[in-house]
Amino acid sequence: MPNRPLDLPDYDRPPVNEVVLGVQFGSLAALKTPHIGFLWKRWRDRYPVVSEQPPLEPAFETFPSVVGEPGILFESLIGVPFPRVWFESEDGSDLCQIQKDRLIHNWRKRENAYPHYEYVRGLLVDDLRNFGEFAQEEGLGELVFNQAEVSYINTIDLPDGRSPHAALDEVLSTWRQFSLEGEIEDTTFRARYRFKRDEVPYARLHVAVTPAVRRADGKHIIKLEMTFRGKPENDSQDAALALLDVGRGVIVRSFDKMTSPEMHQVWGRKQ
Amino acid sequence: MSSNAARAYRADDDFLSPATANYPNHPRFQQARTAVSEPRWRSDVLGTLESLLRMPAGWNSYGSKPMSWDAAMFGMILLNSLMKTDTPPPSVVPTAGGGLQLEWHLNKVDLEIHVTGPYEGDFWWHDHLTGEEVSGEIKSADLQALVKPMNRVGRSA
């Protein structure tokens, strides 16, 4: 497992609500629903809760691509869709999602503090090793990786309990230059940044800021979602994991740049 | 871009977004919304692919492979990235190796895009008006080389 890069900003109490590490691979045509039962038999101790969800659409970064273009419900429209299966830990904080062409590990905030990226990455690697072995034993084929992505979903509220919807400038340092006449009510914005390897675009960072209401306590919050997705350098697992590492660095540095020094204090910025 | 996929894979449903609270995040709702807003070429191409994906190995009597799911799927991704709403749909032709070829022969342009898998394939195009002829490989996420011929097939010279 790689150590945390020393130059990466770190916080005692980061506002992370969910971290998602996912890889996409060539579709395992031979994977059928009954296989999932055999897989759960292996995983039941680790993931005692299982459920089915609609499959995710294929997600590929291409250049160019049209902003806002709906994805393609390929799996849903052609043939019989294979479900996405959720395997959850007892407390729900760890979730492994599997479908024919994806494996995703989510860490979700429950009562526990954020255990940091290296921990979640370790669990993804465990899931991949177990699933890869299972696929081999069952003759389902090799995992040939074609895309990897890392997402951080942050939920931000103000320390004094005020709604942050009208105070985005207090949360995001990048927002301060947009103070206009009148009283701001709320704000939503999205941005995409492209990344190149040897002058060839290969990945994107998607940033979205939206006002939201937390169901649990009805409190106004700001959701800051950052996703880095791209094509690994080759089709190996190592390359897919390397892309996740790059994406994590990009997201953490971008988060630090976007957010205000005052909020950094609230979150206990360490370096 | 597939930000919708990014939203969907998140596991929590702990938040309401006031700006979008009237749009339930239900897959069937999304599917219906996509169905009414999607361009015509998508349903045409998907219909063809659905038939082609059912063809068995040896469909051409010369030991051909069945069409690969990943090639068909990436063909759609590629079109989704490059097609404009008024671009004519391509002819979709299976290839013996399990890939597919997307072809346009109109507006005095021939354009053929051969897709063998995610980020894999090659292309060729010939503009009969200018004499320009270009061929190349698809081996990365960069599809810029296809923008010019795609624009050309979409309009009369």
Side-chain angles (χ1 to χ4, degrees), chain A residues 53-95:
Chain A
Q53 306 288 334
L56 296 173
E57 307 157 24
F60 286 92
E61 292 297 345
T62 54
F63 303 86
S65 84
V66 183
V67 181
E69 188 68 23
I72 297 167
L73 300 166
F74 197 74
E75 177 88 27
S76 310
L77 295 177
I78 293 186
V80 179
F82 183 88
R84 173 173 40 135
V85 184
W86 279 17
F87 298 93
E88 292 177 80
S89 61
E90 184 113 45
D91 68 353
S93 60
D94 284 305
L95 162 67

Short mmCIF file of all heavy atoms in Angstrom, two decimals, chain A residues 53-95:
data_model
loop_
_atom_site.label_atom_id
_atom_site.label_comp_id
_atom_site.label_asym_id
_atom_site.label_seq_id
_atom_site.Cartn_x
_atom_site.Cartn_y
_atom_site.Cartn_z
N GLN A 53 -29.22 -3.48 -7.30
CA GLN A 53 -29.49 -2.12 -7.79
C GLN A 53 -29.48 -2.17 -9.31
O GLN A 53 -28.92 -3.09 -9.90
CB GLN A 53 -28.37 -1.17 -7.32
CG GLN A 53 -28.11 -1.16 -5.83
CD GLN A 53 -29.20 -0.49 -5.04
OE1 GLN A 53 -29.90 0.37 -5.58
NE2 GLN A 53 -29.39 -0.88 -3.80
N PRO A 54 -30.08 -1.16 -9.95
CA PRO A 54 -29.98 -1.12 -11.42
C PRO A 54 -28.52 -0.96 -11.85
O PRO A 54 -27.74 -0.32 -11.14
CB PRO A 54 -30.78 0.13 -11.80
CG PRO A 54 -31.53 0.52 -10.59
CD PRO A 54 -30.81 -0.02 -9.40
N PRO A 55 -28.15 -1.53 -12.99
CA PRO A 55 -26.74 -1.40 -13.42
C PRO A 55 -26.38 0.03 -13.79
O PRO A 55 -27.23 0.80 -14.20
CB PRO A 55 -26.67 -2.31 -14.66
CG PRO A 55 -28.08 -2.41 -15.15
CD PRO A 55 -28.97 -2.28 -13.95
N LEU A 56 -25.11 0.35 -13.60
CA LEU A 56 -24.61 1.66 -14.01
C LEU A 56 -24.31 1.65 -15.50
O LEU A 56 -23.90 0.63 -16.06
CB LEU A 56 -23.33 2.00 -13.27
CG LEU A 56 -23.43 2.15 -11.76
CD1 LEU A 56 -22.04 2.32 -11.18
CD2 LEU A 56 -24.31 3.35 -11.44
N GLU A 57 -24.48 2.81 -16.11
CA GLU A 57 -24.12 2.95 -17.52
C GLU A 57 -22.59 2.89 -17.65
O GLU A 57 -21.88 3.22 -16.71
CB GLU A 57 -24.57 4.31 -18.03
CG GLU A 57 -26.01 4.61 -17.80
CD GLU A 57 -26.28 6.11 -17.80
OE1 GLU A 57 -25.49 6.84 -18.40
OE2 GLU A 57 -27.27 6.51 -17.19
N PRO A 58 -22.10 2.51 -18.84
CA PRO A 58 -20.65 2.60 -19.05
C PRO A 58 -20.20 4.06 -18.91
O PRO A 58 -20.92 4.96 -19.34
CB PRO A 58 -20.46 2.13 -20.50
CG PRO A 58 -21.75 1.56 -20.93
CD PRO A 58 -22.82 2.05 -20.02
N ALA A 59 -19.05 4.27 -18.30
CA ALA A 59 -18.54 5.64 -18.13
C ALA A 59 -17.14 5.70 -18.72
O ALA A 59 -16.21 5.09 -18.17
CB ALA A 59 -18.52 6.01 -16.66
N PHE A 60 -16.99 6.39 -19.82
CA PHE A 60 -15.68 6.56 -20.46
C PHE A 60 -15.44 8.04 -20.67
O PHE A 60 -16.33 8.74 -21.17
CB PHE A 60 -15.64 5.88 -21.83
CG PHE A 60 -15.56 4.38 -21.78
CD1 PHE A 60 -16.70 3.62 -21.80
CD2 PHE A 60 -14.33 3.74 -21.73
CE1 PHE A 60 -16.64 2.24 -21.76
CE2 PHE A 60 -14.25 2.36 -21.70
CZ PHE A 60 -15.41 1.60 -21.71
N GLU A 61 -14.26 8.50 -20.32
CA GLU A 61 -13.91 9.86 -20.69
C GLU A 61 -13.39 9.85 -22.11
O GLU A 61 -12.53 9.02 -22.46
CB GLU A 61 -12.82 10.42 -19.75
CG GLU A 61 -13.29 10.63 -18.33
CD GLU A 61 -14.40 11.68 -18.18
OE1 GLU A 61 -14.63 12.45 -19.13
OE2 GLU A 61 -15.04 11.69 -17.12
N THR A 62 -13.94 10.73 -22.94
CA THR A 62 -13.44 10.90 -24.30
C THR A 62 -13.26 12.40 -24.56
O THR A 62 -13.90 13.22 -23.90
CB THR A 62 -14.41 10.32 -25.35
OG1 THR A 62 -15.70 10.89 -25.14
CG2 THR A 62 -14.48 8.80 -25.26
N PHE A 63 -12.42 12.71 -25.52
CA PHE A 63 -12.12 14.10 -25.84
C PHE A 63 -12.24 14.28 -27.35
O PHE A 63 -11.46 13.65 -28.06
CB PHE A 63 -10.72 14.47 -25.34
CG PHE A 63 -10.56 14.23 -23.87
CD1 PHE A 63 -10.18 12.97 -23.41
CD2 PHE A 63 -10.80 15.23 -22.96
CE1 PHE A 63 -10.05 12.74 -22.05
CE2 PHE A 63 -10.67 14.99 -21.60
CZ PHE A 63 -10.29 13.74 -21.14
N PRO A 64 -13.20 15.03 -27.82
CA PRO A 64 -14.13 15.87 -27.07
C PRO A 64 -15.26 15.06 -26.48
O PRO A 64 -15.43 13.88 -26.80
CB PRO A 64 -14.66 16.81 -28.16
CG PRO A 64 -14.67 15.98 -29.40
CD PRO A 64 -13.46 15.09 -29.28
N SER A 65 -16.04 15.73 -25.62
CA SER A 65 -17.31 15.16 -25.18
C SER A 65 -18.25 16.32 -24.92
O SER A 65 -17.82 17.42 -24.63
CB SER A 65 -17.14 14.30 -23.93
OG SER A 65 -17.18 15.11 -22.78
N VAL A 66 -19.54 16.04 -25.07
CA VAL A 66 -20.52 17.11 -24.98
C VAL A 66 -20.96 17.26 -23.52
O VAL A 66 -21.29 16.28 -22.87
CB VAL A 66 -21.74 16.77 -25.86
CG1 VAL A 66 -22.75 17.90 -25.83
CG2 VAL A 66 -21.28 16.47 -27.27
N VAL A 67 -20.96 18.50 -23.03
CA VAL A 67 -21.39 18.75 -21.65
C VAL A 67 -22.88 18.43 -21.53
O VAL A 67 -23.69 18.84 -22.37
CB VAL A 67 -21.18 20.23 -21.27
CG1 VAL A 67 -21.61 20.46 -19.82
CG2 VAL A 67 -19.74 20.62 -21.45
N GLY A 68 -23.23 17.68 -20.51
CA GLY A 68 -24.63 17.42 -20.23
C GLY A 68 -25.28 16.37 -21.11
O GLY A 68 -26.47 16.11 -21.00
N GLU A 69 -24.51 15.79 -22.00
CA GLU A 69 -25.06 14.74 -22.86
C GLU A 69 -25.45 13.55 -21.99
O GLU A 69 -24.65 13.08 -21.19
CB GLU A 69 -23.99 14.30 -23.87
CG GLU A 69 -24.46 13.36 -24.94
CD GLU A 69 -25.42 13.99 -25.93
OE1 GLU A 69 -25.41 15.23 -26.07
OE2 GLU A 69 -26.18 13.24 -26.52
N PRO A 70 -26.70 13.07 -22.12
CA PRO A 70 -27.06 11.94 -21.27
C PRO A 70 -26.23 10.72 -21.61
O PRO A 70 -25.80 10.53 -22.74
CB PRO A 70 -28.54 11.70 -21.59
CG PRO A 70 -28.79 12.38 -22.89
CD PRO A 70 -27.79 13.49 -23.00
N GLY A 71 -25.98 9.89 -20.61
CA GLY A 71 -25.23 8.66 -20.85
C GLY A 71 -26.07 7.67 -21.64
O GLY A 71 -27.23 7.92 -21.96
N ILE A 72 -25.46 6.54 -21.93
CA ILE A 72 -26.15 5.54 -22.74
C ILE A 72 -26.57 4.39 -21.85
O ILE A 72 -25.74 3.76 -21.20
CB ILE A 72 -25.22 5.03 -23.85
CG1 ILE A 72 -24.87 6.20 -24.77
CG2 ILE A 72 -25.88 3.91 -24.63
CD1 ILE A 72 -23.74 5.90 -25.70
N LEU A 73 -27.87 4.11 -21.83
CA LEU A 73 -28.38 3.01 -21.01
C LEU A 73 -28.19 1.71 -21.79
O LEU A 73 -29.15 1.01 -22.10
CB LEU A 73 -29.84 3.26 -20.67
CG LEU A 73 -30.09 4.55 -19.88
CD1 LEU A 73 -31.57 4.90 -19.88
CD2 LEU A 73 -29.58 4.41 -18.47
N PHE A 74 -26.94 1.42 -22.10
CA PHE A 74 -26.64 0.31 -23.00
C PHE A 74 -27.09 -1.02 -22.40
O PHE A 74 -27.80 -1.79 -23.02
CB PHE A 74 -25.13 0.30 -23.26
CG PHE A 74 -24.73 -0.50 -24.46
CD1 PHE A 74 -24.96 -0.01 -25.73
CD2 PHE A 74 -24.11 -1.72 -24.32
CE1 PHE A 74 -24.59 -0.74 -26.84
CE2 PHE A 74 -23.73 -2.45 -25.42
CZ PHE A 74 -23.97 -1.96 -26.69
N GLU A 75 -26.68 -1.24 -21.17
CA GLU A 75 -26.99 -2.50 -20.49
C GLU A 75 -28.50 -2.68 -20.35
O GLU A 75 -29.03 -3.77 -20.51
CB GLU A 75 -26.33 -2.50 -19.11
CG GLU A 75 -26.62 -3.72 -18.25
CD GLU A 75 -25.65 -4.86 -18.49
OE1 GLU A 75 -24.51 -4.60 -18.89
OE2 GLU A 75 -26.05 -6.01 -18.25
N SER A 76 -29.20 -1.55 -20.06
CA SER A 76 -30.64 -1.63 -19.82
C SER A 76 -31.42 -1.85 -21.10
O SER A 76 -32.51 -2.42 -21.08
CB SER A 76 -31.14 -0.34 -19.17
OG SER A 76 -30.34 -0.01 -18.08
N LEU A 77 -30.89 -1.36 -22.21
CA LEU A 77 -31.67 -1.39 -23.44
C LEU A 77 -31.39 -2.61 -24.31
O LEU A 77 -32.18 -2.96 -25.18
CB LEU A 77 -31.41 -0.11 -24.26
CG LEU A 77 -31.89 1.18 -23.61
CD1 LEU A 77 -31.51 2.38 -24.45
CD2 LEU A 77 -33.40 1.15 -23.40
N ILE A 78 -30.24 -3.24 -24.13
CA ILE A 78 -29.90 -4.38 -24.97
C ILE A 78 -29.79 -5.62 -24.10
O ILE A 78 -28.99 -5.67 -23.17
CB ILE A 78 -28.57 -4.12 -25.72
CG1 ILE A 78 -28.79 -3.01 -26.74
CG2 ILE A 78 -28.09 -5.38 -26.42
CD1 ILE A 78 -27.64 -2.73 -27.65
N GLY A 79 -30.58 -6.61 -24.42
CA GLY A 79 -30.51 -7.87 -23.70
C GLY A 79 -31.16 -7.78 -22.31
O GLY A 79 -31.89 -6.85 -22.00
N VAL A 80 -30.86 -8.76 -21.48
CA VAL A 80 -31.39 -8.79 -20.12
C VAL A 80 -30.36 -8.14 -19.20
O VAL A 80 -29.24 -8.62 -19.10
CB VAL A 80 -31.64 -10.25 -19.67
CG1 VAL A 80 -32.18 -10.29 -18.25
CG2 VAL A 80 -32.59 -10.94 -20.64
N PRO A 81 -30.72 -7.06 -18.55
CA PRO A 81 -29.71 -6.38 -17.72
C PRO A 81 -29.29 -7.21 -16.51
O PRO A 81 -30.13 -7.84 -15.86
CB PRO A 81 -30.40 -5.09 -17.29
CG PRO A 81 -31.84 -5.31 -17.48
CD PRO A 81 -32.01 -6.35 -18.54
N PHE A 82 -27.99 -7.27 -16.28
CA PHE A 82 -27.43 -7.92 -15.09
C PHE A 82 -27.40 -6.86 -14.00
O PHE A 82 -26.97 -5.75 -14.25
CB PHE A 82 -26.02 -8.41 -15.42
CG PHE A 82 -25.37 -9.16 -14.30
CD1 PHE A 82 -25.54 -10.53 -14.18
CD2 PHE A 82 -24.56 -8.50 -13.38
CE1 PHE A 82 -24.93 -11.23 -13.15
CE2 PHE A 82 -23.95 -9.19 -12.35
CZ PHE A 82 -24.13 -10.56 -12.24
N PRO A 83 -27.86 -7.19 -12.80
CA PRO A 83 -27.94 -6.12 -11.79
C PRO A 83 -26.56 -5.71 -11.28
O PRO A 83 -25.57 -6.41 -11.47
CB PRO A 83 -28.75 -6.78 -10.66
CG PRO A 83 -28.48 -8.24 -10.82
CD PRO A 83 -28.29 -8.48 -12.27
N ARG A 84 -26.54 -4.57 -10.62
CA ARG A 84 -25.37 -4.19 -9.83
C ARG A 84 -25.66 -4.69 -8.42
O ARG A 84 -26.75 -4.44 -7.89
CB ARG A 84 -25.24 -2.67 -9.85
CG ARG A 84 -24.19 -2.11 -8.95
CD ARG A 84 -24.04 -0.61 -9.18
NE ARG A 84 -25.31 0.06 -9.39
CZ ARG A 84 -25.64 1.21 -8.80
NH1 ARG A 84 -24.81 1.82 -8.00
NH2 ARG A 84 -26.81 1.78 -9.05
N VAL A 85 -24.74 -5.42 -7.84
CA VAL A 85 -24.99 -6.01 -6.53
C VAL A 85 -24.18 -5.27 -5.47
O VAL A 85 -22.99 -5.00 -5.65
CB VAL A 85 -24.63 -7.51 -6.52
CG1 VAL A 85 -24.98 -8.14 -5.18
CG2 VAL A 85 -25.36 -8.24 -7.65
N TRP A 86 -24.88 -4.90 -4.42
CA TRP A 86 -24.24 -4.23 -3.28
C TRP A 86 -23.91 -5.24 -2.21
O TRP A 86 -24.79 -5.99 -1.76
CB TRP A 86 -25.18 -3.19 -2.67
CG TRP A 86 -25.24 -1.88 -3.37
CD1 TRP A 86 -24.82 -1.61 -4.63
CD2 TRP A 86 -25.78 -0.67 -2.85
NE1 TRP A 86 -25.06 -0.29 -4.94
CE2 TRP A 86 -25.65 0.30 -3.86
CE3 TRP A 86 -26.35 -0.32 -1.64
CZ2 TRP A 86 -26.07 1.61 -3.68
CZ3 TRP A 86 -26.78 0.99 -1.47
CH2 TRP A 86 -26.63 1.95 -2.47
N PHE A 87 -22.67 -5.25 -1.76
CA PHE A 87 -22.25 -6.03 -0.61
C PHE A 87 -21.84 -5.03 0.48
O PHE A 87 -20.87 -4.28 0.28
CB PHE A 87 -21.05 -6.92 -0.96
CG PHE A 87 -21.33 -7.94 -2.03
CD1 PHE A 87 -21.07 -7.65 -3.36
CD2 PHE A 87 -21.85 -9.18 -1.71
CE1 PHE A 87 -21.33 -8.59 -4.36
CE2 PHE A 87 -22.11 -10.12 -2.70
CZ PHE A 87 -21.85 -9.83 -4.03
N GLU A 88 -22.57 -5.02 1.59
CA GLU A 88 -22.32 -3.99 2.61
C GLU A 88 -21.82 -4.58 3.91
O GLU A 88 -22.24 -5.68 4.30
CB GLU A 88 -23.61 -3.22 2.91
CG GLU A 88 -24.08 -2.37 1.76
CD GLU A 88 -25.40 -1.68 2.09
OE1 GLU A 88 -25.36 -0.66 2.80
OE2 GLU A 88 -26.44 -2.16 1.64
N SER A 89 -20.96 -3.83 4.57
CA SER A 89 -20.52 -4.23 5.91
C SER A 89 -21.67 -4.03 6.90
O SER A 89 -22.65 -3.34 6.60
CB SER A 89 -19.30 -3.41 6.34
OG SER A 89 -19.65 -2.05 6.40
N GLU A 90 -21.52 -4.61 8.08
CA GLU A 90 -22.59 -4.56 9.08
C GLU A 90 -23.04 -3.13 9.38
O GLU A 90 -24.23 -2.84 9.45
CB GLU A 90 -22.08 -5.23 10.37
CG GLU A 90 -23.14 -5.33 11.45
CD GLU A 90 -23.50 -6.78 11.72
OE1 GLU A 90 -22.57 -7.58 11.82
OE2 GLU A 90 -24.71 -7.09 11.81
N ASP A 91 -22.07 -2.23 9.56
CA ASP A 91 -22.45 -0.85 9.92
C ASP A 91 -22.73 0.01 8.69
O ASP A 91 -23.05 1.19 8.81
CB ASP A 91 -21.36 -0.21 10.79
CG ASP A 91 -20.07 0.04 10.01
OD1 ASP A 91 -19.96 -0.39 8.85
OD2 ASP A 91 -19.16 0.69 10.58
N GLY A 92 -22.59 -0.56 7.51
CA GLY A 92 -22.92 0.18 6.28
C GLY A 92 -21.83 1.13 5.83
O GLY A 92 -21.97 1.79 4.80
N SER A 93 -20.72 1.22 6.57
CA SER A 93 -19.70 2.19 6.17
C SER A 93 -18.90 1.70 4.95
O SER A 93 -18.42 2.50 4.16
CB SER A 93 -18.76 2.50 7.32
OG SER A 93 -18.10 1.34 7.75
N ASP A 94 -18.77 0.39 4.80
CA ASP A 94 -18.06 -0.14 3.62
C ASP A 94 -19.04 -0.82 2.69
O ASP A 94 -19.91 -1.58 3.13
CB ASP A 94 -16.98 -1.15 4.04
CG ASP A 94 -15.78 -0.45 4.62
OD1 ASP A 94 -15.23 0.43 3.92
OD2 ASP A 94 -15.41 -0.72 5.77
N LEU A 95 -18.88 -0.53 1.42
CA LEU A 95 -19.78 -1.07 0.40
C LEU A 95 -18.96 -1.47 -0.81
O LEU A 95 -18.16 -0.68 -1.31
CB LEU A 95 -20.80 0.01 0.01
CG LEU A 95 -21.56 -0.18 -1.30
CD1 LEU A 95 -22.50 -1.37 -1.22
CD2 LEU A 95 -22.36 1.10 -1.64
#
